[in-house]
Structure formats: structure tokens, C-alpha cells
Amino acid sequence: MKRDTGWGLKAALLIVVGALLSACMSADMRQYGKIDPNEKTITVPPGGGLAAELKDVLNRQGWTLHVDRGPDVIEGQNTGGVSLKSYNTFHSRYRLLLRASRFDTCLGMDGAYNYNMSVIDNKTGKELMVMGGQACESQIKSKFESFLANTN
């Protein structure tokens, strides 16, 4: 009796290819500061996809979200020579910057993204966290949640 080994070989090959593809994914995060848990307000990018998923994470953790920043302000004095300074204002302590594009679907059926994101402290101007690479949505959310959990 002849055994059909074709199916087993195909399955093994599919598992190896899947493992290799998932090994190429990375949610590389670097942290340079911590969130003040008493000031959980953040300006977030508009839109859906990964941005919506990160906004859901923030909402579940009790953050106040703002999608728009405050007005531009121009200040100065007219004392012989005019000296003007222009700057942006924000309604929040923190700001999430995100650039992401979905390129595939991961095995768990969530999106696979090329992404780059930062969390900036609007009060100090310091970047508190940067994360980027190619990863599944669940990996990105997990790393983001670990950053938010690491507060003062």
C-alpha cells in the first residue's frame, strides 16, 4: 500500500514559511521617558486602521483623546525692531504621532503594518517613546500597552 506524503510535506512547508515570515516582523520600541499618570490627555491622529486600534487602547485605559491641536499663537513686541515668535498649542499633555500602512494580514487575522510612531510630551517637548518596523497589529498594541503601563 502506497502512502500519500504530499499533504504532509505541503503542511510542513507552509508551517516553515509562516514561521519565517512571522520572524521578520518586529515591534521594536525604545523608551526615553515615562507618562505622568495624573495627566492622561493625548492628541491622536484622525482616522481608522492602526490609529483606531491605538485609540481604543487609550480609551480603555481612561485617557482623554483630542484629535486636533490648539490654535497657532504668534507673540511679539514692537520695540524698535519687531521680534515675533510663532508656536503650536495643544489641548493635551501628550501627542501620538503615527505613520502606518497595512501591507498584509497576519495569521491571527489582524493587520500587518509598516509603521513608525512616537509619543511626545507637549509640556517638555521630549520624545518619550519611539516604535517602528513591520509587525502584526496585536504585537504593536501589546508593546504600546506595555509603554503606557510603565508610568511614574
Side-chain angles (χ1 to χ4, degrees):
M1 183 168 234
K2 185 177 178 183
R3 243 170 46 166
D4 182 18
T5 59
W7 185 86
L9 189 58
K10 288 177 186 175
L13 182 61
L14 184 61
I15 290 170
V16 169
V17 168
L20 288 174
L21 287 175
S22 66
C24 295
M25 301 290 201
S26 71
D28 181 35
M29 181 178 73
R30 295 181 184 188
Q31 186 169 341
Y32 304 112
K34 295 182 180 183
I35 296 289
D36 180 346
N38 299 315
E39 295 190 63
K40 292 172 72 171
T41 60
I42 190 164
T43 300
V44 294
L50 184 58
E53 294 296 325
L54 297 175
K55 288 185 273 190
D56 288 347
V57 167
L58 291 162
N59 261 326
R60 280 193 302 274
Q61 293 191 14
W63 284 74
T64 301
L65 307 182
H66 299 276
V67 177
D68 205 5
R69 62 179 176 79
D72 291 334
V73 174
I74 299 174
E75 293 181 339
Q77 297 178 351
N78 191 358
T79 57
V82 176
S83 175
L84 297 176
K85 293 181 182 178
S86 174
Y87 56 91
N88 297 326
T89 61
F90 292 90
H91 299 296
S92 63
R93 170 70 189 265
Y94 302 99
R95 176 174 21 143
L96 174 65
L97 301 179
L98 174 67
R99 189 182 75 243
S101 65
R102 185 173 174 158
F103 67 90
D104 206 349
T105 300
C106 294
L107 294 177
M109 299 309 291
D110 60 349
Y113 288 90
N114 286 312
Y115 71 101
N116 192 0
M117 63 189 280
S118 295
V119 173
I120 297 168
D121 186 332
N122 291 325
K123 187 175 182 179
T124 65
K126 293 181 179 178
E127 184 176 51
L128 301 181
M129 181 272 293
V130 62
M131 190 165 71
Q134 290 184 336
C136 297
E137 183 179 288
S138 57
Q139 292 172 300
I140 298 167
K141 286 173 22 180
S142 176
K143 288 278 189 169
F144 187 60
E145 287 171 334
S146 72
F147 163 70
L148 294 174
N150 189 15
T151 60
N152 285 338

